[in-house]
């Protein structure tokens, strides 16, 4: 017996139609959605405080579910999703309503809660991993703290009869591992299978990054139809071997190279990739191309899980003000250099109080900074980008206001947009710490 | 012969906090030893000088033909604090590919 698991999204803003395609044609047993970045929870908390209408879950929950639910119900495909963000219960209730409206009252939805541990972290004390300082130094700036839960509560929900499981923060690979633990009844002591399942989850968690996304490099790494990428599907055997593929007729590419890029994505020590469920060793992996866009991955090994959960903490740190304007034609770069001087003086005149200010010439060295090679010729067109990080919003606003001044009080042929978007954003700094697993309790509720 | 790393290997960067990992993946097993021997931590530090502010660690996975460089202090304090336009460091992986690597002429057929 084998099971087929599809990736439904690699991040919040991911395309929806490839998930629909996999749900329709992928013969899936499970479809898993990953929609959270490191700052998702804190950003959602800030938004929830400011906007009473924000429900606290993935803003695309309805869109994604409307696209896949009819196919999943028809094909008996269970869904595991971290779209619950700060409100897994609300998300589960929303999906319940959608199912009822489709006449699917027999489908069961579960919400996994317990990842949000803000008060516990405020009171617990502990060390910030990045700085070695005590957590108490963050004081009132903490917006939220959440543990990266493992697969266990999702498995409990599936065993409790759930067809759809909605979570908040869960380690990304655990979303996928849960399907395997449930379907094969793997023991949580079987480190080899857990490691293989987690590796499969890691390969699937970023969606098209396994099937040709974030990959094409014209001339050296070309891929077919990069505008039409299919999302990856893993067919998993009971021993944790998996064959990865995508829907026939979709664009993109799945081969040893795409698998290796994703295997090492966001990985530090490849022999010790720590998840809440297990420690994965990728270095023993076997990767075989067994057909067009078909790759078998086997041989991953593992070690027992650690005693702690990683906890991500979001803290208010101020505001970033940012804007851009541009020059083209002869002297473009010299004008940009003069513009930087003008802005530097203006910031002194208006008394900008900033933690850090950065001014770049886009087209020369804005991205790789000091590590950029000297240009071989003068660029025909450049943009000046200026950004400042400030403790107060009123200070960050000065960046855009001073760029406004460059319109009619600036330099010859300054190109500038009328501001059409917010030029100040709040900075939510992310810190991490470790918390003993016993001090976190996950809970499952059914709808 | 001396060739751009871009013809021997591909790369991908990923973010965690203020750390970026840059995986360098050989296109062919026979090319890998030349990359491993010529692309050490010191050379990476020099290439990313001024961009990566912390220590760099290298994990060599010979079986898979991959060097994984873990670069601390690469993201301006972390994705949300970073004033760089590329706050996730998505483009960082490409900078290494313009380094030169010496290989025997008879391996030229493995180059991209």
């Amino acid at each position: 017996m084998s099971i087929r698991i599809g990736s439904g999204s690699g991040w919040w803003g991911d395309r929806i139609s490839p998930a629909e395609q996999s749900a329709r044609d992928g013969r899936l047993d499970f479809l898993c959605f990953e929609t959270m970045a490191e700052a998702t929870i804190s950003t959602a908390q800030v938004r929830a405080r400011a906007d009473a209408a924000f429900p606290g879950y993935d803003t695309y929950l309805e869109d994604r579910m409307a696209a896949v639910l009819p196919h999943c119900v028809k094909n008996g495909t269970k869904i595991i999703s971290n779209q619950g963000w700060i409100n897994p219960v609300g998300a589960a209730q929303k999906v319940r309503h959608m199912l009822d409206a489709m006449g699917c009252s027999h489908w069961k939805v579960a919400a996994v809660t317990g990842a949000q541990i803000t008060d516990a972290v405020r009171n617990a004390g502990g060390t910030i991993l990045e700085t070695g300082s005590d957590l108490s130094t963050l004081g009132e700036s903490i917006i939220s703290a959440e543990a990266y839960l493992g697969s266990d509560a999702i498995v409990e929900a599936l065993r409790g009869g759930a067809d759809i499981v909605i979570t908040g923060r869960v380690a990304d690979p655990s979303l996928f591992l849960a399907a395997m633990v449930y379907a094969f009844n793997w023991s949580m002591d079987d480190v080899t299978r857990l490691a293989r399942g987690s590796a499969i989850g890691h390969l699937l968690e970023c969606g098209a990054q396994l099937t040709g996304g974030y990959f094409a490099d014209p001339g050296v790494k070309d891929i077919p139809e990069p505008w039409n990428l299919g999302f990856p599907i893993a067919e998993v055997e009971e021993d944790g071997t998996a064959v990865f593929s995508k829907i026939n007729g979709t664009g993109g590419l799945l081969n040893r190279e795409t698998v290796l890029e994703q295997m090492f994505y966001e990985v530090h020590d490849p022999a010790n990739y720590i998840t809440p469920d297990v420690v994965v060793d990728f270095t023993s992996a076997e990767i075989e191309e067994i057909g067009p866009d078909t790759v078998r991955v086997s041989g991953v090994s593992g070690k027992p899980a650690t005693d702690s959960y990683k906890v991500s903490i979001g803290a208010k740190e101020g505001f970033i003000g940012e804007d851009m304007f541009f020059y083209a034609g002869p002297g473009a770069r010299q004008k940009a250099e003069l513009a930087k001087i003008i802005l530097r003086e203006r910031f002194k005149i208006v008394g900008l109080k900033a933690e850090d200010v950065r001014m770049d010439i886009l087209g020369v060295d804005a991205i790789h900074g000091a590590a950029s090679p000297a240009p071989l010729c003068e660029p025909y067109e450049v943009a000046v980008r200026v950004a400042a990080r400030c403790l107060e919003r009123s200070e960050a606003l000065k960046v855009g206001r001073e760029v406004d001044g460059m319109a009619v009080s600036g330099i010859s042929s300054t190109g500038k947009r009328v501001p059409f978007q917010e030029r100040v954003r709040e900075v939510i700094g992310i810190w991490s710490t470790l918390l003993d697993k016993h001090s976190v309790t996950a809970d499952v509720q059914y709808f | 012969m001396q060739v751009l790393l871009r013809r021997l290997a591909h790369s991908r960067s990923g973010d965690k906090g203020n750390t970026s990992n840059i995986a360098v993946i050989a296109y062919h097993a026979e090319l890998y030893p030349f990359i491993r021997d010529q692309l050490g931590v010191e050379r990476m530090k020099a290439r990313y000088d001024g961009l990566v502010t912390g220590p760099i660690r290298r994990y060599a996975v010979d079986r898979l033909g991959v060097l994984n460089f873990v670069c601390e202090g690469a993201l301006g304090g972390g994705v949300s604090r970073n004033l760089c336009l590329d706050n996730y460091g998505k483009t960082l992986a490409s900078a290494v590919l313009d380094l030169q690597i010496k290989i025997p002429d008879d391996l030229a057929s493995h180059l991209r």
Side-chain angles (χ1 to χ4, degrees), chain A residues 220-336:
Chain A
V220 284
K221 285 194 297 176
D222 293 301
I223 67 164
E225 293 187 45
W227 49 85
N228 182 31
L229 303 183
F231 282 178
I233 294 167
E235 180 146 354
V236 186
E237 302 290 331
E238 194 281 330
D239 69 351
T241 299
V243 172
F244 294 87
S245 62
K246 61 187 184 64
I247 302 287
N248 284 337
T250 56
L253 182 70
L254 207 171
N255 64 10
R256 180 184 173 84
E257 292 167 10
T258 67
V259 168
L260 276 171
E261 282 201 22
Q262 184 55 25
M263 184 173 280
F264 284 81
Y265 181 68
E266 293 180 342
V267 167
H268 291 178
D269 177 355
N272 292 285
Y273 179 70
I274 301 170
T275 82
D277 302 298
V278 70
V279 177
V280 182
D281 182 353
F282 290 109
T283 64
S284 55
E286 296 282 349
I287 302 166
E288 305 157 82
E289 295 177 354
I290 59 173
D293 295 315
T294 310
V295 178
R296 180 191 287 125
V297 176
S298 59
V300 171
S301 52
K303 295 163 208 160
T306 66
D307 297 331
S308 47
Y309 285 121
K310 179 181 167 183
V311 176
S312 186
I313 301 159
K316 281 180 181 271
E317 288 186 5
F319 302 86
I320 290 177
E322 156 179 30
D323 205 349
M324 213 187 277
F325 50 98
F326 39 87
Y327 299 96
R333 187 177 174 185
Q334 288 87 335
K335 287 177 188 169

Side-chain angles (χ1 to χ4, degrees), chain A residues 209 214 217 220-221 257 261-262 264-268 283 285-286 317 368 371 385 389 428 431, chain B residues 6 10 12-17 21 27 47 51 59 63-64 68 80-81 83-85 90-91 112:
Chain A
Q209 282 196 188
Y214 195 34
D217 186 355
V220 284
K221 285 194 297 176
E257 292 167 10
E261 282 201 22
Q262 184 55 25
F264 284 81
Y265 181 68
E266 293 180 342
V267 167
H268 291 178
T283 64
E286 296 282 349
E317 288 186 5
H368 288 169
R385 176 183 173 271
R389 193 172 59 241
I428 296 161
W431 303 105
Chain B
R6 184 167 181 236
H10 53 118
R12 177 173 291 190
S13 47
D15 66 285
K16 280 262 186 281
N21 82 292
Y27 281 121
R47 178 65 188 89
L51 188 51
Y59 297 94
R63 278 191 68 255
L64 300 174
N68 191 35
S80 57
R81 304 176 183 98
L83 289 184
C84 179
L85 197 55
K90 296 278 185 188
T91 68
R112 291 290 167 105

